[in-house]
Amino acid sequence: MMPDTAMPPYFSQFLGRKPPQFPEFTDRERVIWHFLAGMTVFFGAWYLYWRWTDALNPDAIVFSVVVALAETATFLGTCIFFFDIWDEGDTPVNVGLPFQGRANCDVDIFIATLDEDLEILTPTIDAALAVELPHGTKARVWLLDDGDRKDVRHLAKSKKIGYFARQSNRGFKAGNLANALYKTRGDFILICDADTQLFPNVLKNTLGYFQDPKIAWVQTPHWFFDIPEGESWDSFIQRTVGFRITWLDWTLRRILGSERIGQDPFKSDPSVFFDVILRRRNRNGASFCCGAGSIHRREALFDNCLNEIEGSARPTEQQPFKFHVSEDIFTSIQLHNKRWKSVYHPRVEARMLSPWSVEAWAAQKHKYSGGTFDIMLRANPLFEKGMPWRVKLHYLATFWSYAGVFWFPILLLAAAFSLTTGHAPIDAYTLTFFAHLLPVLICNELALAVGTKGYDTYSGRCLAMGTLQIQLKAFFQVARGRRPKFKPTPKRPGQSVQWAYAAPNLVMIVILLLAGIWGWASFYFGLQNHSASLLAINLFWIGCNVLLLAKTVGVCISIPAATQRFQQR
């Protein structure tokens, strides 16, 4: 076996991939989306009115009310989400330098690192050095090493770039960036993570937005160029059993909702978030910073720093980027509160690495959840003055999506409770029930399909339900006063299956299946309240929930096939 130093990095096999293009929403798509969204809201309100006034089950009133409250919270979340993604509003691209009356500007390119390997840092540095500069622009690359490592220092010296290190990690990534800000003088700062390989035209395509003096930052999309493409089910079946089974191929594609096995095993593709959610928030100047791939106006960051000084008697508390595990969205909130504006640039300007292990995937989910809950509880912008109400609604959409951790478990377990006790959450499963429920479900699915440009939203909903244990853990840590800590997402491929992450969902699947067996047995032996309609409908929901949780179990035990081949070299 060759030594590791002679092996190319695992992501080298994906370097030939081209970034996706994100076309604008067409007028036809917009009209259909708005119609379907309106119908969803109408039928949803109609269903809930009927649900609260005529369908509560008096024989299980507490259970019925709890489920109705969960349904109401889900509907409110749908309405907020529809506002969030209602329409696109791209900012026109300006050509030229950002300052009127000045023929030049300076840009600092920061590469933040803590413990990443040199094989990841080296191509990031090379890409930063290859960035083409608009006429009159000067740029310098800086390596911000929070690990204070000798080999990284030598790498920076060999590449002839700037190098900063700290003795402590105070403030996490935000502290690392702040330390470099105080030691540099560029008018603008381009932030990169250790794996952010910039494209040559990034500054030519983004600096022009800053001709508006109130633009604080520009965020570009994240593109994970190493996401596994997987193998078609047909090919997998033929390779496994030696011949084609057409009906099995069709069945697996329909039931599992995926055309290929092993495709994006950790559901890392961020296209829905960037091309749908963040892009459409731009219409109200509400796109928030996502760290890597963002360009910042130094003046705005130090204006934010002055905001910090006003609330602190100690100079050491000056924080251009808020010292927080979610420093990007926290700093965005502070600047939006001060009426600074942001721009989302809908074109990919860099490539990055995705989580390639369960540990990386889980660490990322825990960090996002903990940071968001901490902001919700301790620095909620909804109660602050200064931020426009439309921008507040966009932040509310983010918070509401995480708050679903309190009512999603109710909906997940409702069918199991019904099959176990014989009590339904509604008065009766009649044709009236289906007449009220089916229209909202059908319209909602169609609206999501059109409104999100046909992206896969099912996987996202599966993971939202399947990561409840991670989100709940993060919430209770924050609620007990334990501030979430920054843990960089590991950039190395996974080595083995991690059953510990799958265990909670496996337990939940067993509970649901046992409830289904109990319900069937109760109906078979004629126990009271276990009617055929109660059994059929709740077994259907049990089956849906089991498939949903099974998708997350698949994520937890995944080792990408490309990783396996790479490890065998």
Side-chain angles (χ1 to χ4, degrees):
M1 180 176 177
M2 296 176 63
D4 290 344
T5 54
M7 295 176 63
Y10 78 93
F11 53 82
S12 60
Q13 58 193 304
F14 307 112
L15 291 174
R17 291 183 176 177
K18 302 297 182 182
Q21 301 296 317
F22 300 120
E24 294 183 21
F25 217 34
T26 66
D27 290 338
R28 181 172 178 270
E29 290 171 331
R30 183 178 292 105
V31 169
I32 297 173
W33 146 240
H34 286 170
F35 171 77
L36 291 171
M39 295 301 292
T40 300
V41 173
F42 171 79
F43 283 122
W46 182 51
Y47 168 78
L48 286 176
Y49 176 79
W50 169 80
R51 184 77 170 81
W52 281 104
T53 60
D54 200 35
L56 293 177
N57 186 354
D59 296 328
I61 191 64
V62 173
F63 172 54
S64 186
V65 167
V66 167
V67 174
L69 286 171
E71 292 174 331
T72 303
T74 302
F75 173 70
L76 290 175
T78 298
C79 294
I80 296 169
F81 180 65
F82 283 179
F83 166 81
D84 198 32
I85 67 168
W86 185 249
D87 203 359
E88 290 180 354
D90 294 346
T91 303
V93 180
N94 295 314
V95 179
L97 293 179
F99 295 121
Q100 298 294 336
R102 271 182 56 179
N104 58 73
C105 73
D106 295 334
V107 179
D108 291 318
I109 301 176
F110 289 172
I111 301 173
T113 178
L114 176 63
D115 57 6
E116 293 83 3
D117 296 336
L118 296 188
E119 68 177 17
I120 291 175
L121 283 170
T122 301
T124 297
I125 295 171
D126 291 339
L129 291 171
V131 168
E132 298 176 3
L133 303 178
H135 180 72
T137 303
K138 295 180 180 179
R140 185 169 183 188
V141 179
W142 303 89
L143 192 57
L144 284 49
D145 180 21
D146 242 12
D148 193 14
R149 295 161 290 171
K150 289 184 179 180
D151 54 349
V152 175
R153 185 187 300 269
H154 291 154
L155 174 64
K157 184 177 181 179
S158 68
K159 296 292 184 179
K160 298 181 181 181
I161 63 174
Y163 176 86
F164 297 127
R166 298 192 298 161
Q167 297 301 313
S168 71
N169 299 125
R170 182 175 176 275
F172 312 118
K173 179 181 175 182
N176 193 12
L177 294 171
N179 178 63
L181 274 171
Y182 287 118
K183 298 177 180 179
T184 55
R185 295 184 297 178
D187 301 300
F188 301 95
I189 295 90
L190 172 51
I191 296 177
C192 300
D193 285 343
D195 62 323
T196 307
Q197 299 178 25
L198 298 171
F199 291 165
N201 290 326
V202 57
L203 292 179
K204 289 182 177 180
N205 294 336
T206 56
L207 281 181
Y209 290 114
F210 290 99
Q211 289 181 14
D212 181 343
K214 290 301 295 179
I215 297 299
W217 75 89
V218 174
Q219 179 64 55
T220 64
H222 290 183
W223 172 50
F224 299 136
F225 72 101
D226 63 335
I227 292 178
E229 295 180 330
E231 179 184 10
S232 69
W233 286 106
D234 182 60
S235 173
F236 171 75
I237 294 169
Q238 189 170 358
R239 180 170 56 82
T240 303
V241 302
F243 54 89
R244 301 181 65 181
I245 308 178
T246 304
W247 66 267
L248 183 57
D249 167 45
W250 184 91
T251 302
L252 290 172
R253 286 189 286 113
R254 295 300 182 275
I255 293 179
L256 299 179
S258 176
E259 293 294 322
R260 305 173 71 86
I261 182 174
Q263 182 181 28
D264 190 9
F266 302 115
K267 311 307 170 191
S268 301
D269 185 357
S271 296
V272 173
F273 174 75
F274 282 97
D275 188 40
V276 178
I277 296 174
L278 212 61
R279 185 174 188 173
R280 297 187 195 178
R281 291 185 179 191
N282 190 69
R283 74 184 189 277
N284 291 319
S287 59
F288 59 79
C289 171
C290 300
S294 59
I295 305 96
H296 296 257
R297 187 189 297 269
R298 180 180 290 267
E299 176 191 354
L301 291 173
F302 278 95
D303 185 38
N304 192 51
C305 182
L306 292 175
N307 183 53
E308 288 290 328
I309 294 174
E310 292 172 2
S312 174
R314 296 185 299 166
T316 54
E317 291 300 315
Q318 298 179 19
Q319 300 175 16
F321 291 95
K322 181 64 178 179
F323 289 7
H324 193 264
V325 66
S326 296
E327 82 290 335
D328 40 20
I329 188 173
F330 207 141
T331 302
S332 302
I333 289 171
Q334 290 179 316
L335 288 171
H336 279 146
N337 271 334
K338 299 194 75 173
R339 299 280 177 163
W340 283 96
K341 297 190 295 183
S342 59
V343 168
Y344 175 74
H345 174 72
R347 178 177 173 180
V348 174
E349 301 291 352
R351 56 188 175 195
M352 307 173 191
L353 299 178
S354 64
W356 262 51
S357 69
V358 180
E359 295 93 333
W361 171 79
Q364 192 177 71
K365 299 297 179 185
H366 186 266
K367 182 176 70 173
Y368 291 163
S369 300
T372 303
F373 284 131
D374 191 61
I375 294 172
M376 287 173 59
L377 296 178
R378 296 188 173 91
N380 199 313
L382 303 180
F383 307 109
E384 299 288 336
K385 295 181 180 180
M387 184 182 292
W389 68 268
R390 289 183 179 86
V391 178
K392 286 186 176 183
L393 282 179
H394 288 295
Y395 280 111
L396 176 61
T398 296
F399 298 150
W400 202 274
S401 67
Y402 281 94
V405 71
F406 302 114
W407 51 81
F408 286 164
I410 296 171
L411 300 176
L412 184 66
L413 292 171
F417 183 89
S418 293
L419 289 175
T420 303
T421 64
H423 293 299
I426 63 171
D427 189 35
Y429 290 116
T430 62
L431 290 178
T432 303
F433 164 71
F434 291 105
H436 284 82
L437 179 63
L438 290 180
V440 64
L441 293 180
I442 294 172
C443 286
N444 182 62
E445 290 301 314
L446 292 174
L448 285 176
V450 178
T452 59
K453 299 182 176 180
Y455 288 121
D456 174 20
T457 59
Y458 175 72
S459 294
R461 284 179 282 174
C462 287
L463 292 185
M465 196 72 79
T467 57
L468 288 174
Q469 75 279 7
I470 296 176
Q471 298 177 59
L472 283 170
K473 177 183 177 181
F475 172 78
F476 286 115
Q477 284 180 340
V478 170
R480 293 198 305 268
R482 295 175 57 187
R483 293 294 178 92
K485 296 182 179 181
F486 184 86
K487 184 178 181 181
T489 303
K491 301 296 191 301
R492 298 294 299 175
Q495 302 292 324
S496 60
V497 171
Q498 298 293 320
W499 287 102
Y501 295 103
N505 288 312
L506 288 173
V507 170
M508 186 62 66
I509 288 174
V510 171
I511 292 174
L512 294 177
L513 293 176
L514 289 176
I517 294 171
W518 178 270
W520 179 86
S522 299
F523 171 75
Y524 182 80
F525 290 106
L527 297 185
Q528 188 177 7
N529 295 330
H530 282 78
S531 64
S533 59
L534 181 142
L535 178 68
I537 292 172
N538 285 287
L539 281 180
F540 171 78
W541 288 119
I542 288 283
C544 291
N545 291 336
V546 166
L547 287 175
L548 181 151
L549 293 171
K551 198 172 186 70
T552 306
V553 171
V555 170
C556 294
I557 63 175
S558 291
I559 302 177
T563 300
Q564 296 172 2
R565 292 195 298 269
F566 188 83
Q567 292 170 351
Q568 292 168 1
R569 292 180 54 177

